[in-house]
Short mmCIF file of all heavy atoms in Angstrom, two decimals:
data_model
loop_
_atom_site.label_atom_id
_atom_site.label_comp_id
_atom_site.label_asym_id
_atom_site.label_seq_id
_atom_site.Cartn_x
_atom_site.Cartn_y
_atom_site.Cartn_z
N MET L 552 60.14 50.31 33.13
CA MET L 552 60.75 50.36 34.48
C MET L 552 59.97 49.46 35.41
O MET L 552 58.74 49.43 35.35
CB MET L 552 60.73 51.79 35.01
CG MET L 552 61.64 51.96 36.21
SD MET L 552 61.56 53.63 36.88
CE MET L 552 60.03 53.55 37.85
N SER L 553 60.66 48.69 36.24
CA SER L 553 59.96 47.85 37.23
C SER L 553 60.83 47.66 38.44
O SER L 553 62.03 47.83 38.44
CB SER L 553 59.66 46.50 36.61
OG SER L 553 60.87 45.87 36.25
N GLY L 554 60.16 47.35 39.55
CA GLY L 554 60.86 47.13 40.81
C GLY L 554 61.38 48.44 41.40
O GLY L 554 61.08 49.54 40.93
N VAL L 555 62.12 48.27 42.49
CA VAL L 555 62.67 49.44 43.18
C VAL L 555 64.16 49.18 43.45
O VAL L 555 64.52 48.13 43.96
CB VAL L 555 61.96 49.67 44.54
CG1 VAL L 555 62.61 50.78 45.35
CG2 VAL L 555 60.48 49.98 44.31
N THR L 556 65.00 50.12 43.04
CA THR L 556 66.44 50.02 43.31
C THR L 556 66.85 51.23 44.13
O THR L 556 66.60 52.37 43.74
CB THR L 556 67.23 50.01 41.99
OG1 THR L 556 66.79 48.90 41.20
CG2 THR L 556 68.72 49.87 42.26
N ILE L 557 67.46 50.95 45.29
CA ILE L 557 67.93 52.04 46.14
C ILE L 557 69.39 51.84 46.42
O ILE L 557 69.82 50.73 46.80
CB ILE L 557 67.14 52.04 47.49
CG1 ILE L 557 65.69 52.38 47.21
CG2 ILE L 557 67.75 53.03 48.49
CD1 ILE L 557 64.80 52.19 48.43
N ARG L 558 70.19 52.90 46.25
CA ARG L 558 71.63 52.84 46.45
C ARG L 558 72.08 53.97 47.39
O ARG L 558 71.90 55.13 47.08
CB ARG L 558 72.39 52.97 45.13
CG ARG L 558 72.25 51.76 44.20
CD ARG L 558 72.99 50.53 44.72
NE ARG L 558 72.71 49.36 43.89
CZ ARG L 558 71.73 48.50 44.11
NH1 ARG L 558 70.92 48.66 45.17
NH2 ARG L 558 71.53 47.48 43.31
N ASN L 559 72.68 53.54 48.50
CA ASN L 559 73.33 54.49 49.44
C ASN L 559 72.41 55.64 49.82
O ASN L 559 72.83 56.79 49.80
CB ASN L 559 74.64 54.98 48.81
CG ASN L 559 75.57 55.58 49.86
OD1 ASN L 559 75.51 55.19 51.03
ND2 ASN L 559 76.38 56.53 49.44
N LEU L 560 71.20 55.30 50.22
CA LEU L 560 70.20 56.32 50.56
C LEU L 560 70.39 56.78 52.00
O LEU L 560 70.61 55.97 52.90
CB LEU L 560 68.78 55.77 50.35
CG LEU L 560 67.61 56.70 50.67
CD1 LEU L 560 66.43 56.34 49.76
CD2 LEU L 560 67.19 56.61 52.12
N GLY L 561 70.32 58.07 52.19
CA GLY L 561 70.39 58.60 53.56
C GLY L 561 69.35 59.69 53.76
O GLY L 561 68.85 60.29 52.82
N LYS L 562 68.98 59.89 55.05
CA LYS L 562 68.04 60.96 55.40
C LYS L 562 68.36 61.47 56.79
O LYS L 562 68.49 60.69 57.71
CB LYS L 562 66.59 60.43 55.36
CG LYS L 562 65.54 61.45 55.76
CD LYS L 562 65.36 62.48 54.68
CE LYS L 562 64.35 63.56 55.10
NZ LYS L 562 64.15 64.55 54.00
N ALA L 563 68.46 62.80 56.90
CA ALA L 563 68.68 63.39 58.21
C ALA L 563 67.66 64.47 58.44
O ALA L 563 67.32 65.22 57.51
CB ALA L 563 70.10 64.00 58.28
N PHE L 564 67.11 64.49 59.64
CA PHE L 564 66.15 65.54 60.01
C PHE L 564 66.80 66.52 60.97
O PHE L 564 67.47 66.09 61.94
CB PHE L 564 64.94 64.93 60.71
CG PHE L 564 64.09 64.03 59.86
CD1 PHE L 564 64.17 62.68 59.94
CD2 PHE L 564 63.18 64.60 58.95
CE1 PHE L 564 63.37 61.84 59.14
CE2 PHE L 564 62.38 63.80 58.15
CZ PHE L 564 62.49 62.43 58.25
N PRO L 565 66.60 67.82 60.79
CA PRO L 565 67.15 68.80 61.72
C PRO L 565 66.39 68.76 63.05
O PRO L 565 65.16 68.62 63.05
CB PRO L 565 66.96 70.14 61.01
CG PRO L 565 65.82 69.91 60.02
CD PRO L 565 65.87 68.46 59.65
N LYS L 566 67.12 68.89 64.14
CA LYS L 566 66.49 68.96 65.46
C LYS L 566 66.46 70.41 65.93
O LYS L 566 67.16 71.27 65.41
CB LYS L 566 67.26 68.10 66.46
CG LYS L 566 67.12 66.61 66.20
CD LYS L 566 67.51 65.80 67.42
CE LYS L 566 69.01 65.69 67.56
NZ LYS L 566 69.39 64.70 68.60
N GLU L 567 65.61 70.65 66.92
CA GLU L 567 65.48 72.03 67.41
C GLU L 567 66.76 72.60 67.96
O GLU L 567 66.97 73.80 67.93
CB GLU L 567 64.34 72.09 68.49
CG GLU L 567 62.97 72.07 67.87
CD GLU L 567 61.89 72.15 68.95
OE1 GLU L 567 62.20 72.47 70.10
OE2 GLU L 567 60.73 71.87 68.60
N ASP L 568 67.65 71.75 68.48
CA ASP L 568 68.90 72.22 69.07
C ASP L 568 69.99 72.45 68.02
O ASP L 568 71.13 72.76 68.34
CB ASP L 568 69.38 71.28 70.15
CG ASP L 568 69.79 69.91 69.61
OD1 ASP L 568 69.76 69.73 68.37
OD2 ASP L 568 70.14 69.02 70.41
N GLY L 569 69.62 72.30 66.72
CA GLY L 569 70.58 72.59 65.65
C GLY L 569 71.34 71.37 65.18
O GLY L 569 72.01 71.42 64.14
N THR L 570 71.29 70.29 65.94
CA THR L 570 71.93 69.07 65.50
C THR L 570 70.98 68.29 64.58
O THR L 570 69.84 68.69 64.35
CB THR L 570 72.33 68.15 66.67
OG1 THR L 570 71.15 67.78 67.36
CG2 THR L 570 73.26 68.92 67.61
N MET L 571 71.46 67.18 64.04
CA MET L 571 70.65 66.40 63.07
C MET L 571 70.36 65.01 63.61
O MET L 571 71.20 64.41 64.28
CB MET L 571 71.37 66.25 61.74
CG MET L 571 71.79 67.57 61.08
SD MET L 571 70.40 68.51 60.46
CE MET L 571 70.10 67.66 58.90
N THR L 572 69.18 64.51 63.31
CA THR L 572 68.86 63.09 63.54
C THR L 572 69.11 62.33 62.25
O THR L 572 68.51 62.60 61.23
CB THR L 572 67.37 62.89 63.92
OG1 THR L 572 67.12 63.60 65.12
CG2 THR L 572 67.06 61.44 64.10
N GLN L 573 70.08 61.39 62.27
CA GLN L 573 70.34 60.59 61.10
C GLN L 573 69.33 59.44 61.11
O GLN L 573 69.55 58.42 61.79
CB GLN L 573 71.79 60.07 61.13
CG GLN L 573 72.27 59.46 59.83
CD GLN L 573 72.50 60.51 58.75
OE1 GLN L 573 73.06 61.57 59.03
NE2 GLN L 573 72.09 60.22 57.52
N ALA L 574 68.27 59.59 60.30
CA ALA L 574 67.19 58.61 60.34
C ALA L 574 67.58 57.39 59.48
O ALA L 574 67.23 56.25 59.82
CB ALA L 574 65.88 59.21 59.83
N LEU L 575 68.28 57.63 58.38
CA LEU L 575 68.68 56.54 57.50
C LEU L 575 70.11 56.86 56.98
O LEU L 575 70.46 57.99 56.75
CB LEU L 575 67.75 56.43 56.27
CG LEU L 575 66.28 56.06 56.56
CD1 LEU L 575 65.42 56.33 55.34
CD2 LEU L 575 66.17 54.59 56.96
N GLU L 576 70.87 55.77 56.77
CA GLU L 576 72.26 55.97 56.29
C GLU L 576 72.68 54.73 55.49
O GLU L 576 72.54 53.60 56.00
CB GLU L 576 73.19 56.19 57.46
CG GLU L 576 74.59 56.58 57.04
CD GLU L 576 75.44 57.00 58.26
OE1 GLU L 576 75.09 56.61 59.40
OE2 GLU L 576 76.45 57.66 58.06
N GLY L 577 73.15 54.94 54.28
CA GLY L 577 73.70 53.85 53.49
C GLY L 577 72.74 52.73 53.20
O GLY L 577 73.11 51.54 53.18
N VAL L 578 71.46 53.08 52.87
CA VAL L 578 70.48 52.04 52.59
C VAL L 578 70.59 51.56 51.17
O VAL L 578 70.59 52.37 50.21
CB VAL L 578 69.06 52.58 52.85
CG1 VAL L 578 68.01 51.54 52.47
CG2 VAL L 578 68.89 53.02 54.29
N ASN L 579 70.70 50.27 51.00
CA ASN L 579 70.69 49.62 49.67
C ASN L 579 69.57 48.58 49.64
O ASN L 579 69.42 47.80 50.60
CB ASN L 579 72.04 48.93 49.41
CG ASN L 579 73.16 49.94 49.31
OD1 ASN L 579 73.17 50.75 48.40
ND2 ASN L 579 74.06 49.89 50.25
N LEU L 580 68.81 48.58 48.56
CA LEU L 580 67.65 47.69 48.48
C LEU L 580 67.30 47.39 47.03
O LEU L 580 67.33 48.30 46.19
CB LEU L 580 66.44 48.41 49.16
CG LEU L 580 65.18 47.63 49.45
CD1 LEU L 580 65.45 46.48 50.37
CD2 LEU L 580 64.13 48.59 50.06
N ASP L 581 67.06 46.13 46.75
CA ASP L 581 66.58 45.73 45.42
C ASP L 581 65.28 44.99 45.58
O ASP L 581 65.22 43.91 46.17
CB ASP L 581 67.62 44.82 44.75
CG ASP L 581 68.88 45.57 44.38
OD1 ASP L 581 68.79 46.38 43.42
OD2 ASP L 581 69.91 45.34 45.00
N ILE L 582 64.21 45.58 45.07
CA ILE L 582 62.89 44.91 45.08
C ILE L 582 62.51 44.62 43.64
O ILE L 582 62.41 45.56 42.82
CB ILE L 582 61.83 45.79 45.76
CG1 ILE L 582 62.25 46.21 47.14
CG2 ILE L 582 60.49 45.03 45.85
CD1 ILE L 582 61.34 47.24 47.82
N ARG L 583 62.29 43.37 43.34
CA ARG L 583 61.97 43.04 41.95
C ARG L 583 60.46 43.02 41.77
O ARG L 583 59.70 42.94 42.73
CB ARG L 583 62.58 41.68 41.59
CG ARG L 583 64.08 41.80 41.45
CD ARG L 583 64.83 40.51 41.20
NE ARG L 583 66.26 40.75 41.29
CZ ARG L 583 66.96 40.86 42.41
NH1 ARG L 583 66.37 40.74 43.59
NH2 ARG L 583 68.26 41.13 42.38
N ASP L 584 60.05 43.10 40.49
CA ASP L 584 58.65 43.07 40.15
C ASP L 584 57.95 41.85 40.78
O ASP L 584 58.48 40.74 40.74
CB ASP L 584 58.53 42.99 38.62
CG ASP L 584 57.59 44.03 38.09
OD1 ASP L 584 57.31 45.00 38.83
OD2 ASP L 584 57.15 43.89 36.94
N GLU L 585 56.82 42.09 41.43
CA GLU L 585 55.98 41.04 42.03
C GLU L 585 56.59 40.46 43.29
O GLU L 585 56.05 39.49 43.82
CB GLU L 585 55.63 39.96 41.00
CG GLU L 585 54.84 40.51 39.82
CD GLU L 585 54.39 39.44 38.85
OE1 GLU L 585 54.19 38.29 39.26
OE2 GLU L 585 54.26 39.77 37.65
N GLU L 586 57.70 40.98 43.76
CA GLU L 586 58.22 40.52 45.05
C GLU L 586 57.40 41.13 46.18
O GLU L 586 56.92 42.24 46.09
CB GLU L 586 59.67 40.94 45.22
CG GLU L 586 60.65 39.83 44.98
CD GLU L 586 62.09 40.22 45.30
OE1 GLU L 586 62.45 41.39 45.19
OE2 GLU L 586 62.82 39.32 45.65
N PHE L 587 57.25 40.39 47.28
CA PHE L 587 56.51 40.83 48.46
C PHE L 587 57.55 41.11 49.55
O PHE L 587 58.27 40.18 49.96
CB PHE L 587 55.52 39.77 48.88
CG PHE L 587 54.61 40.19 50.01
CD1 PHE L 587 53.34 40.68 49.75
CD2 PHE L 587 55.03 40.11 51.34
CE1 PHE L 587 52.50 41.07 50.82
CE2 PHE L 587 54.19 40.52 52.38
CZ PHE L 587 52.94 40.99 52.10
N ILE L 588 57.64 42.34 49.97
CA ILE L 588 58.69 42.73 50.94
C ILE L 588 58.09 43.14 52.27
O ILE L 588 57.09 43.85 52.31
CB ILE L 588 59.49 43.94 50.35
CG1 ILE L 588 60.16 43.57 49.03
CG2 ILE L 588 60.51 44.46 51.35
CD1 ILE L 588 61.25 42.52 49.17
N CYS L 589 58.69 42.69 53.39
CA CYS L 589 58.36 43.18 54.68
C CYS L 589 59.54 44.01 55.25
O CYS L 589 60.68 43.56 55.18
CB CYS L 589 58.07 42.05 55.67
SG CYS L 589 56.60 41.11 55.29
N LEU L 590 59.20 45.14 55.82
CA LEU L 590 60.21 46.03 56.43
C LEU L 590 60.06 45.87 57.92
O LEU L 590 59.03 46.25 58.50
CB LEU L 590 59.91 47.45 55.96
CG LEU L 590 60.98 48.50 56.01
CD1 LEU L 590 62.26 48.05 55.36
CD2 LEU L 590 60.44 49.79 55.35
N VAL L 591 61.05 45.31 58.58
CA VAL L 591 60.97 44.97 60.00
C VAL L 591 62.08 45.64 60.78
O VAL L 591 63.22 45.67 60.33
CB VAL L 591 61.06 43.45 60.19
CG1 VAL L 591 60.97 43.09 61.67
CG2 VAL L 591 59.96 42.72 59.40
N GLY L 592 61.74 46.18 61.92
CA GLY L 592 62.74 46.77 62.80
C GLY L 592 62.11 47.48 63.97
O GLY L 592 60.91 47.73 63.96
N PRO L 593 62.92 47.85 64.96
CA PRO L 593 62.39 48.50 66.16
C PRO L 593 61.85 49.89 65.85
O PRO L 593 62.20 50.49 64.83
CB PRO L 593 63.59 48.60 67.08
CG PRO L 593 64.77 48.48 66.21
CD PRO L 593 64.36 47.64 65.06
N SER L 594 61.02 50.39 66.74
CA SER L 594 60.47 51.74 66.60
C SER L 594 61.59 52.75 66.46
O SER L 594 62.56 52.75 67.20
CB SER L 594 59.61 52.07 67.83
OG SER L 594 59.09 53.36 67.73
N GLY L 595 61.44 53.63 65.46
CA GLY L 595 62.44 54.68 65.28
C GLY L 595 63.60 54.34 64.38
O GLY L 595 64.51 55.14 64.19
N CYS L 596 63.60 53.13 63.80
CA CYS L 596 64.77 52.71 63.01
C CYS L 596 64.70 53.27 61.56
O CYS L 596 65.65 53.12 60.81
CB CYS L 596 64.94 51.21 63.00
SG CYS L 596 63.80 50.34 61.93
N GLY L 597 63.53 53.86 61.19
CA GLY L 597 63.49 54.53 59.89
C GLY L 597 62.55 53.88 58.87
O GLY L 597 62.57 54.26 57.70
N LYS L 598 61.71 52.94 59.30
CA LYS L 598 60.81 52.24 58.36
C LYS L 598 59.89 53.23 57.64
O LYS L 598 59.78 53.20 56.41
CB LYS L 598 59.97 51.21 59.10
CG LYS L 598 60.79 50.18 59.87
CD LYS L 598 59.89 49.21 60.63
CE LYS L 598 59.01 49.86 61.71
NZ LYS L 598 59.77 50.36 62.86
N THR L 599 59.20 54.06 58.41
CA THR L 599 58.26 55.00 57.81
C THR L 599 58.98 56.00 56.91
O THR L 599 58.51 56.30 55.81
CB THR L 599 57.46 55.75 58.91
OG1 THR L 599 56.65 54.77 59.58
CG2 THR L 599 56.56 56.80 58.31
N THR L 600 60.13 56.48 57.36
CA THR L 600 60.90 57.44 56.54
C THR L 600 61.26 56.82 55.22
O THR L 600 61.14 57.44 54.15
CB THR L 600 62.15 57.87 57.32
OG1 THR L 600 61.75 58.49 58.56
CG2 THR L 600 62.97 58.86 56.51
N LEU L 601 61.71 55.57 55.23
CA LEU L 601 62.10 54.89 53.96
C LEU L 601 60.87 54.76 53.05
O LEU L 601 60.99 55.06 51.84
CB LEU L 601 62.70 53.53 54.27
CG LEU L 601 63.12 52.72 53.04
CD1 LEU L 601 64.17 53.47 52.22
CD2 LEU L 601 63.66 51.36 53.46
N LEU L 602 59.74 54.33 53.59
CA LEU L 602 58.54 54.22 52.77
C LEU L 602 58.07 55.53 52.20
O LEU L 602 57.66 55.63 51.05
CB LEU L 602 57.40 53.55 53.59
CG LEU L 602 57.61 52.08 53.94
CD1 LEU L 602 56.48 51.63 54.85
CD2 LEU L 602 57.64 51.23 52.69
N ARG L 603 58.21 56.58 53.01
CA ARG L 603 57.79 57.92 52.52
C ARG L 603 58.72 58.38 51.41
O ARG L 603 58.24 59.05 50.48
CB ARG L 603 57.80 58.92 53.69
CG ARG L 603 56.60 58.75 54.64
CD ARG L 603 56.67 59.70 55.84
NE ARG L 603 56.74 61.08 55.43
CZ ARG L 603 55.68 61.82 55.07
NH1 ARG L 603 54.47 61.29 55.07
NH2 ARG L 603 55.84 63.08 54.71
N ILE L 604 60.00 58.08 51.47
CA ILE L 604 60.93 58.46 50.40
C ILE L 604 60.59 57.67 49.14
O ILE L 604 60.55 58.23 48.04
CB ILE L 604 62.38 58.25 50.85
CG1 ILE L 604 62.74 59.25 51.96
CG2 ILE L 604 63.33 58.42 49.66
CD1 ILE L 604 64.07 59.01 52.64
N ILE L 605 60.36 56.38 49.29
CA ILE L 605 60.00 55.53 48.09
C ILE L 605 58.72 56.04 47.45
O ILE L 605 58.59 56.08 46.24
CB ILE L 605 59.87 54.05 48.52
CG1 ILE L 605 61.23 53.47 48.89
CG2 ILE L 605 59.25 53.23 47.38
CD1 ILE L 605 61.18 52.08 49.52
N ALA L 606 57.76 56.50 48.29
CA ALA L 606 56.49 57.00 47.77
C ALA L 606 56.59 58.39 47.17
O ALA L 606 55.63 58.90 46.59
CB ALA L 606 55.45 56.99 48.89
N GLY L 607 57.75 59.04 47.37
CA GLY L 607 57.92 60.39 46.82
C GLY L 607 57.36 61.47 47.73
O GLY L 607 57.24 62.63 47.32
N LEU L 608 57.04 61.14 48.99
CA LEU L 608 56.50 62.13 49.91
C LEU L 608 57.60 62.85 50.69
O LEU L 608 57.32 63.85 51.36
CB LEU L 608 55.59 61.42 50.94
CG LEU L 608 54.37 60.69 50.34
CD1 LEU L 608 53.66 59.87 51.40
CD2 LEU L 608 53.43 61.71 49.73
N GLU L 609 58.82 62.37 50.58
CA GLU L 609 59.96 62.90 51.32
C GLU L 609 61.18 62.83 50.43
O GLU L 609 61.31 61.90 49.64
CB GLU L 609 60.16 62.02 52.56
CG GLU L 609 61.02 62.62 53.62
CD GLU L 609 60.25 63.55 54.55
OE1 GLU L 609 59.45 63.06 55.35
OE2 GLU L 609 60.47 64.75 54.40
N THR L 610 62.07 63.79 50.54
CA THR L 610 63.31 63.76 49.78
C THR L 610 64.32 62.85 50.49
O THR L 610 64.29 62.71 51.72
CB THR L 610 63.92 65.17 49.63
OG1 THR L 610 64.15 65.69 50.94
CG2 THR L 610 63.01 66.07 48.84
N ALA L 611 65.22 62.28 49.72
CA ALA L 611 66.31 61.49 50.30
C ALA L 611 67.42 62.39 50.74
O ALA L 611 67.48 63.58 50.34
CB ALA L 611 66.81 60.46 49.30
N1 ADP J 863 59.39 64.61 60.24
C1 ADP J 863 60.37 64.29 61.10
N2 ADP J 863 61.07 65.27 61.72
C2 ADP J 863 62.09 64.95 62.56
N3 ADP J 863 62.50 63.70 62.86
C3 ADP J 863 61.82 62.70 62.27
C4 ADP J 863 60.73 62.93 61.35
N4 ADP J 863 60.27 61.71 60.91
C5 ADP J 863 61.03 60.81 61.52
N5 ADP J 863 61.97 61.35 62.33
C6 ADP J 863 62.96 60.66 63.14
O1 ADP J 863 63.63 59.75 62.26
C7 ADP J 863 63.83 58.50 62.93
C8 ADP J 863 63.12 57.38 62.18
O2 ADP J 863 61.72 57.59 62.33
P1 ADP J 863 60.64 56.67 61.61
O3 ADP J 863 60.98 56.58 60.14
O4 ADP J 863 59.30 57.23 61.94
O5 ADP J 863 60.88 55.25 62.27
P2 ADP J 863 59.91 53.96 62.33
O6 ADP J 863 58.81 54.12 61.32
O7 ADP J 863 60.83 52.77 62.01
O8 ADP J 863 59.40 53.87 63.74
C9 ADP J 863 63.39 58.72 64.39
O9 ADP J 863 64.53 59.13 65.15
C10 ADP J 863 62.37 59.81 64.25
O10 ADP J 863 62.27 60.58 65.43
MG1 MG J 864 56.70 54.07 61.48
#
């Protein structure tokens, strides 16, 4: 196995008021072996959440 393949990944966090924050939706990503990837976007767009899911620290 090599690289990272992500298909239609989503993540929602529950908020205190009972509604959900949709942190990620419909994420598709192909990272090949030895590729160098930068994840760029504004604060709160889901960069850390995506990395945590890839690392296995968070469920999708
Ligand atoms: N543990 C958490 N509980 C609730 N909401 C979260 C949690 N982690 C992230 N979020 C929310 O998910 C969205 C994406 O956050 P995050 O992945 O930290 O973005 P970034 O790293 O791009 O700044 C934000 O709306 C943030 O408030
Ligand atoms: Mg972050």
Side-chain angles (χ1 to χ4, degrees):
M552 195 182 79
S553 61
V555 174
T556 302
I557 294 171
R558 290 290 173 269
N559 198 28
L560 180 150
K562 178 73 184 182
F564 292 103
K566 289 198 283 191
E567 282 181 13
D568 66 5
T570 63
M571 304 289 280
T572 298
Q573 192 72 42
L575 297 166
E576 188 172 20
V578 176
N579 295 294
L580 190 61
D581 291 289
I582 306 172
R583 289 175 188 79
D584 231 16
E585 298 183 30
E586 258 187 330
F587 186 97
I588 298 293
C589 292
L590 200 52
V591 180
S594 179
C596 77
K598 304 177 298 290
T599 294
T600 301
L601 180 59
L602 290 175
R603 286 176 57 81
I604 292 170
I605 291 171
L608 299 172
E609 195 83 72
T610 58

